[in-house]
Amino acid sequence: MPEIWILRIGHRPQRDKRVTTHVALSSRALGASGIFIDTEDKTLEKNIGSVVGRFGGNYSIRTGVPWRRMLEEFDGEVIHLTMYGQRLDEALPNIPREKDLLVVVGAEKVPPEVYQAADRNISVGNQPHSEIAALAIFLDRLTDGRNLYSDRSGQMTVVPNERGKTVVSKHT
Ligand code: SAM
């Protein structure tokens, strides 16, 4: 089964720690296999690793990744999310389902070479908003919502509930 990877460009550890954490957590929740982040950030690696340890799945995180090389060498389809890109509804039917995907999101201004290196530049609406929102909507549409409640076999599993909180804990 093809995998979905995320590349986060422009991460500034102090300023972006919350947003990049949420980029990682949202993409994990919506079925991505892992995230590559350009700037080294061991704290972020530890925090995401801790969530994966408790809630399961195989999501991986690597920071300090040279993004130019990653874009050149990725074996699959590179998709850059940007408000300037092609409409999501028009792009979706043409995204290959048999290839791995690398979904690129920025922080601040994204260098022009990213637009050129990407196989597709796709917009999630034509208004500026957030990398977390753009990624979440993109992944949910791409996967038709099927990862929202998929089982991750975690030490902790939250059971959907109309009221109250139900958490099943595995004792190891
Ligand atoms: N102004 C920056 C630029 O020109 O590249 C964008 C900054 S925005 C806060 C951070 C990231 O959110 C962008 O790099 C893009 O990946 C994502 N993003 C924001 N709005 C988007 C939209 N409407 N569609 C797709 N991605 C979007």
Side-chain angles (χ1 to χ4, degrees):
M1 185 119 144
E3 293 188 292
I4 305 168
W5 298 92
I6 312 302
L7 174 61
R8 164 76 156 150
I9 290 178
H11 170 65
R12 298 152 295 182
Q14 274 318 308
R15 205 172 149 174
D16 297 324
K17 63 181 167 198
R18 215 172 130 75
V19 174
T20 307
T21 299
H22 289 182
V23 166
L25 292 181
S26 305
S27 67
R28 173 187 168 273
L30 290 159
S33 296
I35 187 165
F36 302 100
I37 295 165
D38 56 351
T39 315
E40 180 171 283
D41 189 335
K42 292 294 175 198
T43 308
L44 188 62
E45 289 185 9
K46 194 166 131 256
N47 292 342
I48 300 302
S50 158
V51 173
V52 176
R54 284 177 287 140
F55 287 90
N58 291 316
Y59 190 87
S60 68
I61 174 165
R62 190 145 68 83
T63 69
V65 173
W67 61 263
R68 286 183 179 81
R69 195 176 339 137
M70 175 104 225
L71 288 179
E72 276 166 25
E73 294 178 358
F74 183 73
D75 184 13
E77 185 92 350
V78 176
I79 292 176
H80 171 218
L81 297 184
T82 164
M83 70 171 168
Y84 304 105
Q86 185 189 14
R87 288 176 62 120
L88 176 60
D89 50 354
E90 290 176 1
L92 266 180
N94 300 318
I95 295 176
R97 307 298 161 130
E98 72 289 353
K99 286 185 180 176
D100 285 353
L101 300 183
L102 181 67
V103 186
V104 186
V105 290
E108 269 196 322
K109 194 165 164 49
V110 173
E113 54 196 294
V114 176
Y115 291 78
Q116 285 143 22
D119 294 300
R120 294 161 201 277
N121 292 288
I122 298 179
S123 61
V124 181
N126 60 355
Q127 302 297 317
H129 49 83
S130 140
E131 48 274 52
I132 304 167
L135 195 53
I137 292 171
F138 175 77
L139 292 176
D140 192 57
R141 297 260 176 108
L142 181 76
T143 58
D144 297 322
R146 65 179 170 271
N147 290 308
L148 286 179
Y149 300 101
S150 60
D151 182 29
R152 313 296 166 97
S153 303
Q155 282 174 17
M156 293 169 70
T157 301
V158 174
V159 181
N161 207 337
E162 202 175 346
R163 283 177 206 278
K165 299 179 182 174
T166 307
V167 181
V168 177
S169 298
K170 261 189 214 159
H171 297 289
T172 47

